[in-house]
Amino acid sequence: MIIAVSGTPGAGKTTVSRILSERLGYEYVSIKDFALAKGIGERVGDEIEIDVDELSRAIEREFSGKNVVIDGHLSHLVSADVVIVLRLHPRIVAERLNFRGYSRKKLAENVEAELVDVILVEAIEENENVIEVDTTGKTPEEVVSEILSLLEKGVKRRVGIVDWSHAYDDVVQYLMLGGD
């Protein structure tokens, strides 16, 4: 089974993916490392540009029929048996990305993306089986337990459980309204 774990930067993808792969006995795959190793991605400044179509084909070739957890904020765009979209309160996303030294523009883009469900919407457009999980106020172990419980129950689709519309006032200071 291919499980893709996606979400806005700062939502806990890597930590959750590593624990999930360990608990399931699945191989852990970082989408960034995989893309770079296969020549699908290239470093451009601080970022890695990846051809998503080529990445999806390579993931399918390499991992079809295998048990893997794929970690990365583009993983929801590849062929997977189930996509887990991790959600996190946008204010906490801002705090974490600020701590990581993200530029004001990058921080604003990611806070806005979380606020308006960008990754969830893309995941739903690309995949049939999408499970949304709110990580706010939960430890990574609690998040993994929730994911495992949903998978054990046979849940294939759970979306629309997070609504950050009430959080706008909490994050407006991080947004770049009206441009730079």
Side-chain angles (χ1 to χ4, degrees), residues 134-151:
D134 185 0
T135 66
T136 308
K138 298 174 188 167
T139 66
E141 291 79 11
E142 289 170 329
V143 172
V144 170
S145 292
E146 182 177 340
I147 292 167
L148 290 172
S149 175
L150 292 165
L151 293 174

Side-chain angles (χ1 to χ4, degrees), residues 2 17-18 22 61 106:
I2 298 174
S17 294
R18 287 185 187 279
E22 187 176 301
R61 273 193 313 271
K106 248 350 210 181

Side-chain angles (χ1 to χ4, degrees), residues 14-83:
T14 299
T15 303
V16 166
S17 294
R18 287 185 187 279
I19 296 169
L20 183 62
S21 66
E22 187 176 301
R23 295 256 311 261
L24 288 169
Y26 284 19
E27 181 181 350
Y28 166 83
V29 177
S30 160
I31 217 146
K32 273 194 266 184
D33 294 345
F34 178 80
L36 288 171
K38 297 294 181 183
I40 299 166
E42 65 177 282
R43 291 199 181 274
V44 177
D46 290 342
E47 299 194 14
I48 297 170
E49 290 188 2
I50 297 173
D51 180 326
V52 177
D53 292 332
E54 192 176 335
L55 174 69
S56 190
R57 287 189 295 273
I59 293 277
E60 198 166 339
R61 273 193 313 271
E62 185 91 12
F63 301 112
S64 182
K66 295 181 182 173
N67 293 325
V68 297
V69 175
I70 300 174
D71 161 32
H73 80 274
L74 295 177
S75 67
H76 63 282
L77 301 174
V78 303
S79 216
D81 296 299
V82 65
V83 176

Side-chain angles (χ1 to χ4, degrees), residues 71-102:
D71 161 32
H73 80 274
L74 295 177
S75 67
H76 63 282
L77 301 174
V78 303
S79 216
D81 296 299
V82 65
V83 176
I84 310 296
V85 178
L86 302 182
R87 305 296 305 279
L88 181 65
H89 191 287
R91 181 184 39 76
I92 301 170
V93 169
E95 291 166 357
R96 288 182 181 178
L97 299 185
N98 189 45
F99 179 77
R100 291 182 185 178
Y102 274 50

Side-chain angles (χ1 to χ4, degrees), residues 124-162:
I124 291 167
E125 289 173 348
E126 296 292 325
N127 297 277
E128 189 174 321
N129 300 328
V130 178
I131 298 174
E132 179 182 27
V133 177
D134 185 0
T135 66
T136 308
K138 298 174 188 167
T139 66
E141 291 79 11
E142 289 170 329
V143 172
V144 170
S145 292
E146 182 177 340
I147 292 167
L148 290 172
S149 175
L150 292 165
L151 293 174
E152 287 166 8
K153 290 176 185 170
V155 173
K156 295 185 185 292
R157 191 170 182 91
R158 184 179 84 158
V159 298
I161 66 158
V162 175

